[in-house]
Amino acid sequence: MTVRVADGVIFLEGACPVEDAEPLLLALQDCAAAQVDVSGLERMHLAVAQLLLAAGPAIAGAPEPAFLRDLLLPAIAAFAREQTVSGRSDADL
Amino acid sequence: MDELLTQFLIEGRELTADAHRALQRLERAGDDAAALDALFRAIHTLKGSVGLFEMKPAERMLHAAETSLARLRGEDALLTVGERDGLVAVIDQLDRWIDAMESAGRLPETAEATAREIVAEISREPGEPAGLPAPPPDWLSTLLLRPQFAGRLPAAGGTAFRYSPDTDCFFRGEDPLATAAAVPDLLALALLPAGPWPEFDEFDPFRCRTIIEGVSSADAESVGAAFRLVPDQIAVGRVGAAAAAPADPGAASQSALRVEGHKLDRLARLAGELSVAVHGLDGLAGRAGLSDRALAADLKRAQAAIENATGSLHATIAAIRLVPLAPVLRRLPRLAREVAAALGKEVDFVIRGENTEADKQIADALFEPLLHLVRNAIDHGIEFPDEREGGGKSPRGRVSLDIETHGERLHISLADDGAGIDPEHLREAAIAKGLVEREAGENLSTAQALRLIFAPGFSTAKAVSSVSGRGVGMDAVLAAVERLQGSIEVESTPGTGTTLRLDLPLNAILTRLLTVSAGGELFGLRLDQISETLRVEEHEIHAVGQGRACVIRGRTVPVLELATLLGKPGETTGAARLVVTEATGEPVAVRVGEWGGRLDTMIRERSGLLAAIPAIGGTAVLGDGGVLLVLDLPELLS
């Protein structure tokens, strides 16, 4: 289990394979204002990344692997920014 | 000011910055046809613009530059060093004249003579401009305009891709992200929804609904190889020729609106006050819960809805306030050249990532500190050409400014390949100036010694030069960066060079606070100054010399009482709650009474009576309308 919820924060840790998509979806549906901490993330399946993209939660922490930290997370953050600018995210929330 | 002139001042500066960038690319690769085209377009547009004003000398100078570039394009010739210097002179001169148009409304008396000199330097036979390259396919032109790729596009010979994985690919055990991660030399990614997404409550996590786009500096063949198993789901295109400059720079800004900055500031402030006001409902719900649980639950729900909307409002305002740093940085290359020339040094100054976006407040406040750091690097860092050759280095020094974002942080590093800073020399100088006691000075770690450059009144330059001033400055730079809630780190290897790393927030509106109690009162500590919080037992804190310390993960860390620091009675409870900060360079644990909650709030600058108390970083308004004093840990501990 690499999706862990503690104190309103969803922690994504380790490899985060496709199986983690379901628990993450439930956690995000449970708490729309949740923060997602990715400090301990080592890998992430697109199914998991896709949920972060769709839900647009606040993301905290910088994971070790450069691909996640420098390429993937900035891409997710950029998408969230674009959504808020065009005002579409309000419907998603 | 005349509206037309105002417009010209903005566009003219953007175009000179474009021209500089194109010229830098040409310097790296003389046969970069796209860079030559971009340079030609910038010069050509500038010539048209200056024609609208009393700027005849500028027009003549640009005409000569345009002619010289047209010849280069016509003959497929490479840019010579002489031509490059001539073009740099044209662009720098124009930049100065744009400044003159802004400040004096006209060109200086000497403009005519200056233009004649420069024209003589670059005059060539006129040639016909060549046609523009063929336009890229639709998906590629859209991709190139995405903000995700701004400032990240490869110079030339790079590749862009659009990968639209099959909806059922997750069932087949594929991970498109792993496939994309295997692309060599990946520079940037964008994730996009493939069509409209369903409501989040009905989201099927096992269907792939995402498109992955990316750019790489590798060639199309190597990028295509990463997708060899999914040939039907991938489009690959070359980036470089037509793509390096957006096909139509106007397209992205067609519906843009120029808004005065102070109106946005006010909007941001109001949104900040709104989120504080919403916190007030916390207490109300609690009180309502004592008599009417249903009412309390309703209040909680209403509060959550307002908080959600406030969160979106904040995010939207923050996104609107993001501006590219390029306009702020555009004067740096010219000033760096002027500084180097004044000192008789040879320096290549390179900026990477200037299209990175940051909050307007951050962008506006960055110019002065960066200029100072660049001046310092050239003045104190880079050696004279003969010294460099004697040390086995190239006579031309190199100063590079790299800007990138990491999540919500802006990372700026300024690196030079100069003489470096000798920590021993700093220790000696600090002791000699009486800034530290001899014993304390000798015990400073290398990291602490390097931080001495930020001490007020500290200068290690042997000779005072006209450029960097007289040792005032680095403390001002640090203060400016800390005002923006940022930090600076110094790394230096004697003989090899120095790197300064600035870490700043991208969004400066809200500050995250941790509330703590000390001596029975509540205080706010900035979360960005806290590296961790932990609880230890009283007996784990030992007396060490005059003070107290405890061991945290194998390191001995001094422990100070917040209450004592504030002149209040100390804590007496059994377990000690510690807040560890590294804001002063080394970890220090501060013992507090209780931890309160986390709070996102706006900090007001300290003013009035509070301004006289150095440890107070500002104030924040609490949910119940009370005022929270926000402590500044580095100042409190210094």
Side-chain angles (χ1 to χ4, degrees):
Chain A
M1 182 75 173
T2 47
V3 178
R4 179 166 68 83
V5 185
D7 223 6
V9 179
I10 303 173
F11 290 87
L12 294 183
E13 287 156 345
C16 279
V18 66
E19 294 78 25
D20 279 352
E22 197 144 34
L24 176 62
L25 178 70
L26 294 176
L28 285 169
Q29 284 171 343
D30 258 7
C31 180
Q35 197 184 39
V36 176
D37 188 302
V38 295
S39 324
L41 200 57
E42 284 159 21
R43 290 186 56 170
M44 179 159 49
H45 193 280
L46 181 61
V48 176
Q50 174 173 274
L51 290 173
L52 295 183
L53 204 63
I59 295 181
E64 194 69 31
F67 174 74
L68 298 178
R69 189 187 58 222
D70 301 339
L71 294 165
L72 186 65
L73 291 168
I76 292 174
F79 179 76
R81 263 207 302 276
E82 221 172 293
Q83 292 296 292
T84 40
V85 172
S86 61
R88 274 175 289 166
S89 76
D90 296 6
D92 298 342
L93 290 168
Chain B
M1 197 186 290
D2 174 7
E3 197 172 311
L4 197 60
L5 181 60
T6 312
Q7 192 69 19
F8 167 70
L9 292 175
I10 297 169
E11 285 179 6
R13 282 169 175 155
E14 281 169 5
L15 285 164
T16 46
D18 285 350
H20 257 308
R21 266 196 299 279
L23 198 55
Q24 275 177 352
R25 279 164 48 204
L26 272 179
E27 278 184 52
R28 284 197 294 272
D31 58 348
D32 186 341
L36 187 56
D37 282 336
L39 179 58
F40 184 85
R41 274 201 299 272
I43 297 281
H44 179 77
T45 314
L46 277 168
K47 190 182 83 167
S49 309
V50 300
L52 300 172
F53 305 95
E54 284 298 318
M55 296 179 76
K56 276 274 175 283
E59 196 177 343
R60 262 201 297 287
M61 185 178 78
L62 287 164
H63 178 74
E66 189 187 26
T67 310
S68 147
L69 286 170
R71 184 195 60 84
L72 275 177
R73 296 208 315 182
E75 296 174 6
D76 251 350
L78 293 183
L79 187 73
T80 64
V81 175
E83 284 163 336
R84 186 215 42 209
D85 290 349
L87 289 166
V88 171
V90 169
I91 301 168
D92 281 356
Q93 191 55 54
L94 185 68
D95 202 24
R96 283 182 211 114
W97 283 345
I98 294 178
D99 287 350
M101 290 301 286
E102 182 171 27
S103 54
R106 60 187 174 80
L107 297 187
E109 305 287 332
T110 53
E112 196 64 50
T114 313
R116 247 199 319 274
E117 259 173 54
I118 294 177
V119 169
E121 202 181 320
I122 54 169
S123 275
R124 304 280 165 191
E125 289 295 312
E128 286 303 308
L132 293 176
D138 280 353
W139 69 265
L140 189 52
S141 354
T142 317
L143 181 152
L144 293 168
L145 289 174
R146 287 197 201 290
Q148 287 93 325
F149 299 129
R152 300 280 194 101
L153 293 176
T159 308
F161 65 85
R162 179 178 170 90
Y163 175 21
S164 320
D166 194 44
T167 323
D168 295 327
C169 68
F170 295 165
F171 289 108
R172 289 197 300 271
E174 291 171 20
D175 179 7
L177 216 43
T179 310
V183 170
D185 305 320
L186 203 51
L187 299 173
L189 278 183
L191 297 190
L192 312 155
W197 266 332
E199 289 292 313
F200 196 63
D201 286 340
E202 291 154 24
F203 207 92
D204 178 351
F206 299 119
R207 299 191 88 78
C208 180
R209 302 172 185 280
T210 305
I211 290 174
I212 306 175
E213 287 184 347
V215 288
S216 150
S217 57
D219 58 32
E221 204 175 319
S222 342
V223 172
F227 298 103
R228 64 192 177 282
L229 296 177
V230 287
D232 54 323
Q233 298 163 24
I234 186 78
V236 175
R238 303 185 78 82
V239 188
D248 176 7
S253 56
Q254 253 166 15
S255 60
L257 185 67
R258 284 191 201 274
V259 180
E260 285 170 53
H262 70 87
K263 290 186 182 162
L264 273 183
D265 290 345
R266 182 171 157 73
L267 190 60
R269 207 166 50 239
L270 290 174
E273 284 171 12
L274 178 62
S275 62
V276 171
V278 176
H279 279 299
L281 289 174
D282 262 340
L284 280 186
R287 268 164 48 202
L290 297 177
S291 54
D292 185 342
R293 285 193 152 183
L295 175 64
D298 282 349
L299 269 175
K300 277 273 179 209
R301 255 197 300 283
Q303 183 190 2
I306 303 173
E307 269 174 0
N308 246 338
T310 321
S312 297
L313 182 63
H314 272 301
T316 309
I317 295 172
I320 295 174
R321 288 174 52 100
L322 288 181
V323 294
L325 293 174
V328 176
L329 304 174
R330 73 178 173 85
R331 280 156 67 205
L332 281 181
R334 183 189 106 209
L335 295 168
R337 276 192 293 278
E338 288 175 357
V339 169
L343 292 165
K345 294 183 178 179
E346 295 175 15
V347 178
D348 284 325
F349 178 61
V350 197
I351 302 183
R352 277 183 295 255
E354 68 268 45
N355 286 326
T356 306
E357 295 187 327
D359 185 83
K360 197 180 133 295
Q361 183 189 351
I362 303 275
D364 288 348
L366 269 179
F367 177 72
E368 286 294 330
L370 285 181
L371 174 62
H372 201 91
L373 292 178
V374 169
R375 276 183 177 156
N376 254 313
I378 298 174
D379 191 5
H380 302 312
I382 303 292
E383 313 90 327
F384 289 98
D386 50 340
E387 276 176 61
R388 292 180 61 88
E389 282 193 307
K393 294 180 183 176
S394 137
R396 284 187 83 79
R398 188 179 166 84
V399 176
S400 49
L401 184 66
D402 282 275
I403 302 162
E404 53 184 28
T405 53
H406 275 216
E408 291 296 297
R409 307 294 294 178
L410 178 66
H411 288 190
I412 300 180
S413 76
L414 182 80
D416 68 63
D417 68 348
I421 308 173
D422 180 0
E424 201 46 52
H425 179 53
L426 288 177
R427 283 192 194 102
E428 290 300 321
I431 295 167
K433 282 171 200 283
L435 291 173
V436 288
E437 300 286 327
R438 173 157 294 278
E439 197 185 337
E442 281 165 359
N443 285 332
L444 288 179
S445 68
T446 304
Q448 285 171 325
L450 285 175
R451 290 199 76 79
L452 284 170
I453 59 172
F454 297 115
F458 192 82
S459 173
T460 57
K462 292 183 196 82
V464 170
S465 69
S466 62
V467 172
S468 289
R470 288 165 176 74
V472 288
M474 284 306 263
D475 57 327
V477 169
L478 181 65
V481 169
E482 285 182 343
R483 257 201 305 281
L484 297 172
Q485 301 177 20
S487 62
I488 309 186
E489 276 175 40
V490 200
E491 277 169 32
S492 188
T493 315
T496 314
T498 304
T499 302
L500 289 155
R501 292 182 207 285
L502 279 65
D503 180 352
L504 296 152
L506 273 183
N507 299 310
I509 304 172
L510 286 188
T511 308
R512 313 207 76 185
L513 294 179
L514 174 71
T515 54
V516 298
S517 73
E521 276 183 59
L522 205 58
F523 295 94
L525 298 177
R526 278 174 22 197
L527 269 177
D528 58 349
Q529 293 180 342
I530 297 175
S531 46
E532 65 178 312
T533 54
L534 72 164
R535 232 176 125 122
V536 300
E537 292 304 320
E538 182 74 49
H539 67 261
E540 293 177 62
I541 303 178
H542 307 283
V544 176
Q546 306 264 323
R548 310 180 75 199
C550 72
V551 176
I552 301 173
R553 273 190 291 284
R555 291 176 81 177
T556 303
V557 176
V559 178
L560 299 168
E561 293 249 350
L562 183 57
T564 317
L565 288 170
L566 297 168
K568 294 173 183 294
E571 311 296 340
T572 47
T573 49
R577 292 178 176 82
L578 302 181
V579 170
V580 183
T581 175
E582 290 183 37
T584 50
E586 296 284 324
V588 177
V590 177
R591 180 173 178 181
V592 302
E594 296 282 338
W595 292 313
R598 290 182 180 203
L599 189 64
D600 280 331
T601 186
M602 282 230 316
I603 298 196
R604 286 169 195 271
E605 294 267 317
R606 59 188 184 217
S607 57
L609 281 177
L610 287 177
I613 313 172
I616 308 286
T619 57
V621 180
L622 284 169
D624 61 4
V627 173
L628 180 73
L629 288 182
V630 180
L631 301 176
D632 188 85
L633 281 175
E635 279 195 29
L636 189 66
L637 298 174
S638 66

